[in-house]
Amino acid sequence: MILIGFMGSGKTTIAKRLHKKGYSIVDTDRWIEEHVGTTIPDIFENDGELHFRTLEFDALESVVGNYDVISTGGGIITYEPSYRFLADTDEPIIYLDAPIERLLKRISGDKTRPLAQERASVIERYQLRAHLYETLADIRIDTSQPISNCVAEIEAFINQS
Ligand code: S3P
C-alpha cells in the first residue's frame, strides 16, 4: 500500500504503527536522504524543489513492490511522472487527511519541512493539492480520529481488497 497526503497528515506515524504490526515499511524522504547523503532542507536549498521531485520519483520507482507500506512526501503528487506512476500502480493508495487547522498545528515550527514555513502558503498549497490526493485515492482516512482507529480502517480496507 502507498500512503499519500499533506504534510502532517500522519503518514510517517501510521507507517510506524503498521510496522509494529509486522508490515515492512519505507519512507521516500528517508530513502532520498540515505541515497543522496544529505537532508531534505539541504536538497531544497542547494538543488531546488524540482530536483527533489525527480529524486522522489526515483525513490518511488525503486521501492514499489519491495515493501508492504510506502510512506511518501506530501508533494509527490505535484510532479507529473510521480502522479502518473501512482495513477497507474496496482498498489492500494491510502489518502490520509485531517482538517487544515489540525495539519497546520502538527507541522508548525518544523524547520525540517521547507514548504511548511508560512501559514498562508501552506493553506494555499493544501487547497491546490487536495483534489490530486482525492483523485488518486482508493480510500480516504480521517487522521483526526485516534491512530488505532485509522490503522483498523486501513487494515479492514486492505483485507477486503
Ligand atoms: C513536502 C513534504 C515533506 C517532504 C518535503 C516536501 C511537500 O514530506 O517530502 O519537505 O512538498 O509537501 P512530509 O509530507 O512527510 O512532511
Side-chain angles (χ1 to χ4, degrees):
M1 77 183 88
I2 303 179
L3 307 182
I4 64 168
F6 201 70
M7 291 173 277
S9 60
K11 303 179 296 284
T12 306
T13 308
I14 286 184
K16 283 183 181 161
R17 184 66 72 94
L18 287 166
H19 185 52
K20 280 197 185 144
K21 304 194 82 177
Y23 295 79
S24 62
I25 64 167
V26 65
D27 181 307
T28 55
D29 280 347
R30 298 295 81 76
W31 186 98
I32 291 168
E33 289 185 329
E34 277 163 27
H35 280 75
V36 179
T38 178
T39 64
I40 305 285
D42 281 348
I43 298 170
F44 268 78
E45 191 167 324
N46 299 329
D47 307 304
E49 180 177 348
L50 182 59
H51 181 66
F52 175 74
R53 298 299 170 207
T54 67
L55 295 172
E56 243 178 352
F57 177 73
D58 295 344
L60 192 56
E61 256 196 335
S62 302
V63 299
V64 160
N66 298 325
Y67 296 86
D68 301 322
V69 180
I70 298 164
S71 157
T72 59
I76 199 161
I77 44 79
T78 64
Y79 184 57
E80 172 68 20
S82 297
Y83 182 91
R84 265 298 102 237
F85 190 96
L86 292 168
D88 291 344
T89 184
D90 291 335
E91 290 272 338
I93 308 273
I94 316 288
Y95 171 31
L96 306 184
D97 193 24
I100 183 69
E101 285 305 327
R102 186 71 79 100
L103 300 174
L104 283 160
K105 208 166 167 187
R106 288 181 187 156
I107 65 180
S108 81
D110 185 348
K111 296 284 173 250
T112 69
R113 288 177 160 122
L115 301 182
Q117 302 309 310
E118 202 210 319
R119 184 188 159 89
S121 71
V122 170
I123 295 172
E124 191 185 345
R125 213 174 278 282
Y126 177 80
Q127 287 164 348
L128 286 170
R129 291 177 179 178
H131 77 281
L132 298 173
Y133 300 125
E134 273 154 24
T135 309
L136 288 171
D138 293 308
I139 185 174
R140 176 183 171 278
I141 307 286
D142 183 343
T143 63
S144 58
Q145 56 178 333
I147 186 165
S148 51
N149 293 19
C150 300
V151 170
E153 270 190 39
I154 291 170
E155 285 197 294
F157 176 73
I158 291 296
N159 292 334
Q160 57 124 61
S161 58

